[in-house]
Amino acid sequence: MEVPFFSVLNPLEQTLIGTFFAWSVTALGASTVFITRRVSRKLFDALLGFAAGIMLAASFFSLLLPSIIPSFQSDEAYYWVPVTIGFFLGAMVICTADIALRHLNQKNRDQNSISARTSTEAEFESKTILVLAITIHNIPEGLAVGVAFGAASLGVMGADMAAAISLTIGIALQNFPEGLAVSMPLRAHGMSKIKSFWYGQLSSTVEPVAGVIGALFVVVAQPLLPYALSFAAGAMILVVVSKVMPESQKEVNKNLSAFCFIIGFSIMMIMDLALS
């Protein structure tokens, strides 16, 4: 599928457009605080399941497959090594960041219980930790978009412009419930609409930066492309498995969440296969 408008742009321009679009959908999700103070748990779980399905399908069809196909068709005996290393590194980076954030959050709670700090100081630290956590989990999404456009510009088999665009659309779709998931609890706990929206959209501001880094990396260091693609996939899949799906399965809406997961996965799969 030809995409004339994007074809005349360089990978950095394509990445910036794609990641800013993904950010705008996060902001749209966060803006729901201006309409309502609460969202039903059933709808929230359904949206989380849908987002997890999209992320998992995007990780496989738009990142892992393009990293596997060229390696598989090469003459190297251990063609699977770059993909495996990148995949594990992506997962380990996010896992390590999660452990560090949990330690930081626990330290913050302990200080709150034993010190005489003001509620303002405690609230500021809690918000900082929240923003850090969401920011870290958004880095793989921006990285994935940048790597996808970079791979498409290099003509890598299994990676093309349409696939990169479908990945961007998929990430944008799952960003809507993400923005809602950050801003709505803050609003429910009494934070103002403006502040709740601000923190909700702030979670995706890192995506354009990560995207540009990803695009630059694969264009400048083409031999490392399989590592970069699988790294982004590993990081995204770990976020789905350790964060998104467990959160959607906490309440009584497990079947609904699972069904929405299948819907999200199917939509992303269709988009990727139909547009490629």
Side-chain angles (χ1 to χ4, degrees):
M1 176 181 173
E2 294 294 331
V3 190
F5 171 69
F6 263 65
S7 299
V8 300
L9 303 176
N10 63 53
L12 293 183
E13 293 171 332
Q14 295 162 352
T15 298
L16 284 173
I17 292 174
T19 50
F20 274 111
F21 170 67
W23 164 81
S24 69
V25 179
T26 305
L28 183 63
S31 69
T32 53
V33 295
F34 295 108
I35 303 172
T36 180
R37 195 182 185 92
R38 296 181 185 276
V39 171
S40 71
R41 185 69 204 195
K42 180 178 289 189
L43 175 60
F44 184 61
D45 289 342
L47 289 173
L48 284 177
F50 180 77
I54 285 179
M55 289 180 71
L56 191 61
S59 299
F60 180 74
F61 291 103
S62 298
L63 296 172
L64 272 182
L65 274 184
S67 71
I68 292 172
I69 293 175
S71 300
F72 181 76
Q73 294 182 340
S74 70
D75 296 329
E76 297 178 4
Y78 300 102
Y79 59 85
W80 46 269
V81 171
V83 179
T84 305
I85 291 175
F87 189 77
F88 270 95
L89 283 177
M92 288 304 298
V93 166
I94 298 300
C95 185
T96 302
D98 274 344
I99 293 173
L101 282 170
R102 280 200 298 269
H103 176 73
L104 184 62
N105 192 39
Q106 185 59 50
K107 182 179 179 181
N108 180 60
R109 290 178 180 176
D110 293 342
Q111 287 179 341
N112 288 344
S113 62
I114 63 176
S115 70
R117 295 185 308 160
T118 66
S119 59
T120 302
E121 291 173 333
E123 182 183 12
F124 175 78
E125 287 194 12
S126 297
K127 289 175 184 175
T128 301
I129 293 171
L130 171 64
V131 172
L132 278 173
I134 301 300
T135 297
I136 287 172
H137 293 149
N138 273 275
I139 289 174
E141 297 171 15
L143 185 65
V145 173
V147 169
F149 280 116
S153 71
L154 296 174
V156 176
M157 185 172 296
D160 55 32
M161 196 61 60
I165 291 175
S166 68
L167 171 68
T168 302
I169 295 173
I171 287 176
L173 287 174
Q174 68 87 30
N175 274 359
F176 182 87
E178 186 176 86
L180 185 150
V182 176
S183 62
M184 198 57 65
L186 296 176
R187 178 62 181 148
H189 282 85
M191 187 176 288
S192 70
K193 294 178 181 179
I194 296 295
K195 285 186 176 181
S196 299
F197 168 76
W198 171 256
Y199 283 108
Q201 64 81 35
L202 194 63
S203 63
S204 270
T205 54
V206 71
E207 289 188 14
V209 178
V212 168
I213 292 173
L216 281 173
F217 182 81
V218 299
V219 171
V220 174
Q222 185 175 351
L224 298 179
L225 180 59
Y227 295 93
L229 285 166
S230 56
F231 179 93
M236 284 182 62
I237 289 175
L238 187 77
V239 171
V240 172
V241 173
S242 66
K243 296 296 179 183
V244 184
M245 283 306 296
E247 180 66 28
S248 72
Q249 297 287 305
K250 280 184 177 180
E251 304 293 333
V252 297
N253 306 307
K254 294 182 179 180
N255 290 334
L256 174 64
S257 173
F259 185 71
C260 289
F261 172 90
I262 297 299
I263 293 175
F265 190 98
S266 300
I267 289 175
M268 187 63 213
M269 177 177 63
I270 292 169
M271 284 174 52
D272 194 85
L273 297 178
L275 292 177
S276 298

